[in-house]
Amino acid sequence: MARRALVTGGAGFIGSHVADALLAEGIEVEVLDDLSSGKRENLPAGVALHQADVGSAEAARIVREGGYDVVCHLAAQIDVRKSVADPVNDARINVLGTLNVAEAIRASGARTRLVFASTGGALYGDFVTPPNVEDYPKDPESPYGIAKLSAEYYLSYYGRLHGLETVVLRFANVYGPRQDPHGEAGVVAIFCNRILSGQAMTVFGDGMQTRDYVFVKDVAQANVAAATRPLPPAGRLDARGFNVGTAVETTVLELANEVQRAAGREVGVTHAPARPGEQARSAVRIDKARELLGWEPQVSLARGLAETYAWFAARREAEQGAAERGATGSVAR
């Protein structure tokens, strides 16, 4: 039973929810995050923050000497477009950063389990028909997907040769509270902000491209399961790889309609030219996670979108209230 956990990237969107979920299980949690994209305000109260780059010697020391039962490794460069523009930096974070964590665990000699956040969207590419099963061929179309797959190969090697307890979670398209509305992956967050601003949502191409949208709190529970449940034996690449999604394809146009329904407000959509290289369809099968980890999603898309929109609306209201108080204070002075 895991009693002590480190969440890398734990001040970020998904990582902070993983920290919340582990704490709810009575597990002591610490966070490692360089705050390049994560936010202190996302951290659960009382959780210790180690501010360091995941690829640094300091991060390796923290992992090596921390006495953790599990490391949930979510620190990553997550923007596909940035990986195309700067594949070296993407590999530095997503490959070398992961190796830094794995090597630190190996050097510690402890039985620390490593739960790695991979991708179920970018990993399989467009050469298989979704919903994708874990042992489908992988042919990623971006440096981001290539880096995640490379890290998976390394972790499979560490499991076989060094006996590390490594497990890989391949996330579908994660959405929910705390998501960054400025990143390319955050379409739900972007749509929520457009509606709150009374602006039409932008859809690229015909809007018929599909994604598998999974709620962030369900993803957090998948991390808890991977951190605490028995694992299958180490083996080839997919032996300890698990898809985390819903197995349901939703088009971007359907998503736009669902977000408007959750908001109780219509702003419409405008179409922009299709983005070159964008995946046409994406979804993952989750039978393996259900069978071996006892995990499956609990939150429907409608319910998840309602909670997400309510969070963004509350944040917008708080920001506007703070701005008004600031303006009043300036006048008073």
Side-chain angles (χ1 to χ4, degrees):
M1 178 63 189
R3 290 182 170 82
R4 183 168 161 77
L6 178 71
V7 181
T8 73
F13 162 45
I14 302 175
S16 62
H17 284 280
V18 172
D20 286 339
L22 290 168
L23 285 168
E25 294 294 319
I27 298 171
E28 180 186 352
V29 175
E30 295 183 359
V31 163
L32 188 148
D33 200 302
D34 65 1
L35 300 182
S36 58
S37 59
K39 299 177 177 63
R40 288 183 185 273
E41 65 203 53
N42 289 341
L43 292 171
V47 167
L49 170 65
H50 303 280
Q51 189 171 345
D53 185 299
V54 72
S56 67
E58 175 64 8
R61 184 196 65 76
I62 291 164
V63 173
R64 188 173 57 250
E65 300 176 3
Y68 304 109
D69 297 301
V70 61
V71 175
C72 291
H73 178 40
L74 293 107
Q77 192 296 113
I78 63 168
D79 193 314
V80 172
R81 288 176 298 184
K82 286 183 179 178
S83 80
V84 173
D86 191 353
V88 173
N89 185 60
D90 182 82
R92 180 188 69 79
I93 299 169
N94 291 341
V95 179
L96 296 184
T98 303
L99 271 175
N100 195 43
V101 172
E103 270 295 287
I105 291 174
R106 184 187 66 81
S108 74
R111 295 294 296 171
T112 302
R113 181 176 294 188
L114 176 54
V115 181
F116 176 63
S118 188
T119 170
L123 200 71
Y124 299 102
D126 263 334
F127 300 98
V128 291
T129 301
N132 299 324
V133 180
E134 284 85 354
D135 61 1
Y136 274 12
K138 286 94 183 152
D139 198 352
E141 292 285 320
S142 67
Y144 168 74
I146 293 167
K148 286 291 189 178
L149 181 56
S150 299
E152 285 200 28
Y153 274 115
Y154 274 112
L155 294 181
S156 180
Y157 151 81
Y158 273 94
R160 292 194 305 268
L161 191 69
H162 297 298
L164 263 63
E165 283 199 0
T166 61
V167 55
V168 170
L169 300 180
R170 297 169 181 162
F171 301 159
N173 288 69
V174 187
Y175 73 96
R178 304 177 198 159
Q179 189 167 28
D180 182 359
H182 305 295
E184 59 126 15
V187 62
V188 171
I190 293 168
F191 282 178
C192 287
N193 272 357
R194 297 289 288 186
I195 294 172
L196 285 165
S197 299
Q199 299 174 313
M201 296 168 287
T202 301
V203 171
F204 295 94
D206 62 7
M208 297 307 294
Q209 56 271 51
T210 67
R211 296 295 181 265
D212 182 344
Y213 296 100
V214 58
F215 192 53
V216 67
K217 292 181 182 179
D218 280 331
V219 172
Q221 288 302 319
N223 277 265
V224 172
T228 58
R229 296 285 293 246
L231 297 178
R236 300 186 66 178
L237 178 69
D238 301 311
R240 290 177 173 171
F242 297 89
N243 289 333
V244 174
T246 68
V248 177
E249 290 184 72
T250 301
T251 70
V252 176
L253 285 178
E254 287 171 339
L255 179 71
N257 289 332
E258 288 292 333
V259 177
Q260 290 177 105
R261 188 174 292 113
R265 182 180 183 188
E266 291 191 11
V267 295
V269 301
T270 58
H271 288 265
R275 292 181 291 197
E278 184 173 13
Q279 236 176 319
R281 296 176 60 193
S282 179
V284 296
R285 289 279 295 273
I286 57 170
D287 307 67
K288 186 179 178 182
R290 183 185 291 116
E291 179 183 350
L292 298 182
L293 297 180
W295 175 88
E296 60 183 339
Q298 301 298 310
V299 180
S300 68
L301 183 61
R303 182 176 139 208
L305 290 176
E307 184 172 333
T308 303
Y309 183 81
W311 184 87
F312 277 99
R315 190 179 73 163
R316 176 70 65 92
E317 185 177 348
E319 289 172 349
Q320 290 173 343
E324 290 170 3
R325 288 192 296 273
T328 302
S330 297
V331 171
R333 285 194 296 272

